[in-house]
Amino acid sequence: QVQLVESGGGLVQPGGSLRLSCAASGSFVSINTVAWYRQAPGKERELVAGITRAGSTNYADAVKGRFTISRNNAKNTVYLQMNSLKPEDTAVYYCNADYLRRDGYGVSSRGQGTQVTVSS
């Protein structure tokens, strides 16, 4: 089973930057696609960005050009660099990882989330 721990959230002023981390630990063969989602109060959860094990990425239109997702497979960690933050980016950010268990099954796991608040 994989445990995912997000970190790096906090309070930042509009125009500022934050870097989120999603660290995976536990027993698994490989971490495959990892995605960052966010959920603001009263809104549905939305996909922010995703990255495959090979490094292919995709982004929501709302964050293209401002956010960058990357990963370090040796450290089993995925990052989300967020620049030019806007108040509408305020949300709880979660990472979700698809991984291969040692019994050969592919499953998904999600972290507990980290709060990002963009406000002056």
Side-chain angles (χ1 to χ4, degrees):
Q1 187 172 346
V2 163
Q3 292 79 44
L4 300 176
V5 178
E6 300 99 333
S7 61
L11 172 64
V12 64
Q13 292 186 342
S17 299
L18 285 173
R19 188 175 84 152
L20 306 183
S21 298
C22 172
S25 62
S27 178
F28 53 87
V29 175
S30 63
I31 303 291
N32 300 320
T33 297
V34 179
W36 284 97
Y37 290 84
R38 66 186 181 186
Q39 187 164 22
K43 295 188 177 181
E44 293 187 356
R45 191 177 68 166
E46 63 175 347
L47 175 67
V48 176
I51 186 167
T52 67
R53 184 167 179 82
S56 296
T57 59
N58 65 285
Y59 298 92
D61 288 343
V63 307
K64 281 180 181 177
R66 300 188 297 122
F67 291 10
T68 302
I69 189 170
S70 61
R71 66 190 292 165
N72 184 325
N73 289 333
K75 295 184 177 181
N76 293 316
T77 301
V78 171
Y79 306 96
L80 185 68
Q81 177 67 43
M82 305 186 296
N83 299 328
S84 302
L85 283 161
K86 305 175 181 180
E88 51 263 44
D89 295 318
T90 295
V92 178
Y93 285 70
Y94 303 89
C95 66
N96 186 90
D98 296 330
Y99 68 98
L100 183 63
R101 294 190 328 197
R102 295 191 182 282
D103 60 6
Y105 284 92
V107 295
S108 291
S109 182
R110 193 182 83 172
Q112 294 299 307
T114 184
Q115 176 70 47
V116 171
T117 302
V118 184
S119 175
S120 56

